[in-house]
């Protein structure tokens, strides 16, 4: 006859305002559930699962019955999330342990969904029994990252299985053959994220009272940060021939109806995954698992392509608008000044015209008939064209102001000076002379 003593502790932690973890320590069923979901979702999910399992505590004599109880709990959480829109999407992890009889021996069956864990402390060695259903843990199992990298991986909190997400759930189960003195820990990730394996081993090996040990574990998680809700259930293995303490709230005594575990039981504790269809170790990627869980993919190739296309069209429209709004110039009058603006008269949307130059030609320097035109805006294709337009107005005005060229000019004829080039004083060129050089 195997006898278990259990104690538990749960705490909101140091940063969360609500404890979304729930815990059950029934005579032969121990459960930790870590709820998640907005508003009250997380609390409701974990407490709904725990309530459903509490109902089933007398019917968990085999692996199949424990799995069935967890499936019923899943349906209860799922139904609540479907029926109440404010609870939509809520979910909860679960790790549960109960004694079952196998081939006449008592073994502890541990079942899990999500990243709440079951550990065994045997002869001072701590072994993790369960396998997390989280992205980081699956990456470790696939060899993509190391255990150390997983501890700080940004997606270590993303779980790939939970109760309440869909109508059915896969449950992993593990069988632990217990030896006297063995200690089992069930906990939420709020404990294991704060307390490393070494400290966990030390704390679990330190005290006799499982309730005190559970409380000490929670205290350590808080001392190390307390970033999440923290829950620990510590289950001790004692045999029936040992004195059993009085049951209290903290010490729960469990007696199974099956035969005692004999001394011929394999030395030490063996942990084996239970056989049969219950053990599901699907060899699938986390993407496939997310799909199966119904987690919608946010980024597909088509979504990316569509986004790029929309961005391209928007950019093109913006570029054209900017070109249209700023490519031309216009000339206009402001008071007595003639100015040139870059842009379109009145602006285009948020592209306002910019003052480029104030001409040296004032409004009074152009013909009155042109002033009316100038009070409107005269659009020119370039700055040079705009300046030329003003120059033309000024020239036109000056021409009008200048004395009429048709008036007779001064009567005096222009004095014409002619320069003659010639050889009036030039020396006649002498005829060439022949120089005779006397010979000899
Ligand atoms: Mn948690």
């Amino acid at each position: 006859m195997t006898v278990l003593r259990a104690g538990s502790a749960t705490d909101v932690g140091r940063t969360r305002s609500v404890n979304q973890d729930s815990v059950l320590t029934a005579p032969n069923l121990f459960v930790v559930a870590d709820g998640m979901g907005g508003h009250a979702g997380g609390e409701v999910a974990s407490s709904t699962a725990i309530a459903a399992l509490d109902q089933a505590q007398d019917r968990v004599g085999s692996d199949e019955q424990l799995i069935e109880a967890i499936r019923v709990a899943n349906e209860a959480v799922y139904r609540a999330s479907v029926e109440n829109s404010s609870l939509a999407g809520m979910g909860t992890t679960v790790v549960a342990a109960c004694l079952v009889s196998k081939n006449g021996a008592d073994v502890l069956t541990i079942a899990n969904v999500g990243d709440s864990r079951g550990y065994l402390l045997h002869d001072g060695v701590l072994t993790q029994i369960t396998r997390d259903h989280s992205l980081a843990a699956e990456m470790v199992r696939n060899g993509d990252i190391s255990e150390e990298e997983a501890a700080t991986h940004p997606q270590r909190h993303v779980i790939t299985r939970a109760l309440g997400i869909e109508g059915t759930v896969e449950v992993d189960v593990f069988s632990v053959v217990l030896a006297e003195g063995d200690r089992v820990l069930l906990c939420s990730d709020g404990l294991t994220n704060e307390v490393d394996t070494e400290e966990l081993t030390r704390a679990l090996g330190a005290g006799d009272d499982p309730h005190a040990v559970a409380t000490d574990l929670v205290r350590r998680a808080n001392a190390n940060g307390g970033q999440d809700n923290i829950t620990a259930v510590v289950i001790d293995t004692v045999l029936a021939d040992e004195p059993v303490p009085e049951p209290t709230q903290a010490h729960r005594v469990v007696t199974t109806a099956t035969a005692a575990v004999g001394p011929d039981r394999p030395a030490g504790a063996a942990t084996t995954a239970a056989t049969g269809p219950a053990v599901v170790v699907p060899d699938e990627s986390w993407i496939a698992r997310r799909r199966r869980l119904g987690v919608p993919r946010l980024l597909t190739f088509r979504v990316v392509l569509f986004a790029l296309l929309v961005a391209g069209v928007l950019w093109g429209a913006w570029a054209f608008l900017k070109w249209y709004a700023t490519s031309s110039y216009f000339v206009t009058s402001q008071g007595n000044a003639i100015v040139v603006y870059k842009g379109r008269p009145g602006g285009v949307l948020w592209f306002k015209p910019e003052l480029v130059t104030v001409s040296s030609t004032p409004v009074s320097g152009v013909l009155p008939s042109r002033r009316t035109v100038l009070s409107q805006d005269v659009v020119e294709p370039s700055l040079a064209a705009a300046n030329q337009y003003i120059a033309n107005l000024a020239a036109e005005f000056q021409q009008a102001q200048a004395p009429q060229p048709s008036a007779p000019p001064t009567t005096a004829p222009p004095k014409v000076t002619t320069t003659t080039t010639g050889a009036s004083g030039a020396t006649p060129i002498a005829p060439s002379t022949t120089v005779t050089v006397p010979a000899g």
Side-chain angles (χ1 to χ4, degrees):
M1 181 180 288
T2 304
V3 176
L4 302 178
R5 295 165 64 202
S8 69
T10 185
D11 189 70
V12 68
R14 289 171 58 190
T15 60
R16 301 286 173 90
S17 57
V18 175
N19 191 349
Q20 299 188 324
D21 287 359
S22 295
V23 61
L24 174 68
T25 49
N28 185 34
L29 183 58
F30 311 95
V31 188
V32 170
D34 178 351
M36 62 214 71
H39 304 291
E43 287 169 276
V44 174
S46 66
S47 60
T48 302
I50 290 288
L53 285 163
D54 195 15
Q55 294 278 309
Q57 60 167 289
D58 297 328
R59 301 185 301 275
V60 287
S62 67
D63 290 359
E64 291 69 29
Q65 286 177 331
L66 179 59
I67 291 165
E68 182 56 26
I70 291 173
R71 287 187 174 148
V72 169
N74 173 68
E75 283 165 23
V77 179
Y78 181 65
R79 215 179 310 119
S81 80
V82 169
E83 284 169 0
N84 186 339
S85 63
S86 72
L87 301 175
M90 70 175 177
T92 182
T93 71
V94 71
V95 58
C98 63
L99 274 178
V100 303
S101 174
K102 281 187 181 171
N103 304 322
D106 288 342
V107 298
L108 190 74
T109 293
I110 300 181
N112 78 308
V113 175
D115 65 354
S116 295
R117 292 177 180 174
Y119 285 91
L120 172 69
L121 182 72
H122 173 77
D123 276 351
V125 177
L126 189 67
T127 311
Q128 183 179 333
I129 305 298
T130 55
R131 306 199 310 168
D132 293 353
H133 303 129
S134 71
L135 287 188
E138 286 174 19
M139 288 164 91
V140 171
R141 287 199 285 274
N142 289 339
D144 297 334
I145 57 173
S146 69
E147 293 269 3
E148 292 71 36
E149 287 168 324
T152 55
H153 195 276
Q155 287 173 324
R156 65 187 180 279
H157 302 299
V158 179
I159 62 171
T160 50
R161 270 195 231 176
L163 264 56
I165 305 301
E166 57 182 16
T168 58
V169 71
E170 284 177 85
V171 182
D172 287 357
V173 294
F174 304 86
S175 293
V176 181
V177 178
L178 294 170
E180 186 180 356
D182 283 353
R183 183 167 263 180
V184 168
L185 167 70
L186 307 181
C187 62
S188 62
D189 67 337
L191 176 67
T192 48
N193 284 333
E194 304 289 4
V195 182
D196 64 21
T197 307
E198 192 199 332
E199 186 177 359
L200 215 51
T201 308
R202 220 174 333 118
L204 278 169
D208 283 335
D209 176 9
H211 176 70
V213 172
T215 306
D216 179 53
L217 289 171
V218 168
R219 182 192 62 73
R220 286 170 187 269
N222 272 325
N224 293 352
Q227 300 282 313
D228 192 4
N229 307 143
I230 310 146
T231 302
V233 175
V234 175
I235 307 160
D236 280 352
T237 311
V238 294
L239 296 183
D241 55 353
E242 288 192 348
V244 175
E246 281 298 301
T248 64
Q249 189 67 19
H251 301 182
R252 293 181 183 272
V253 179
V254 178
T255 309
T256 61
T258 51
V261 177
D264 56 339
R265 177 178 47 80
T271 69
T272 52
T275 51
V279 180
V280 183
V281 188
D283 183 20
E284 62 180 345
S285 71
W286 67 265
I287 290 175
R289 190 164 288 180
R290 278 168 63 91
R291 250 179 240 166
R292 186 167 46 69
L293 286 170
V295 181
R297 292 168 66 200
L298 295 177
L299 275 185
T300 63
F301 176 71
R302 275 195 285 180
V303 168
V304 170
L305 196 68
F306 180 73
L308 285 175
L309 210 66
V310 169
V313 167
L314 287 177
W315 181 84
W318 180 84
F320 175 78
L321 190 69
K322 187 182 178 189
W323 170 82
Y324 172 77
T326 61
S327 64
S328 71
Y329 293 80
F330 64 93
V331 182
T332 189
S333 58
Q334 277 179 1
N336 192 36
I338 298 177
V339 293
V340 179
Y341 275 94
K342 186 179 205 279
R344 297 273 163 186
V348 178
L349 295 181
W350 57 91
F351 295 105
K352 299 299 171 212
E354 269 174 49
L355 181 68
V356 180
T357 52
V358 178
S359 172
S360 55
T361 307
V363 172
S364 54
V366 304
L367 293 177
S369 62
R370 300 295 188 189
R371 293 174 197 168
T372 331
V373 178
L374 270 184
S375 66
Q376 311 296 309
D377 306 303
V378 180
V379 176
E380 293 289 343
S382 69
L383 184 58
N387 287 334
Q388 187 58 54
Y389 176 75
I390 299 169
N392 290 348
L393 292 182
E396 180 187 50
F397 180 78
Q398 269 159 23
Q399 211 170 8
Q401 298 299 306
Q404 286 303 307
S406 55
T410 49
T411 48
K415 192 178 268 181
V416 176
T417 52
T418 53
T419 49
T420 52
T421 53
S424 51
T427 316
I429 296 164
S432 59
T433 49
T434 305
V435 179
T436 304
V437 180

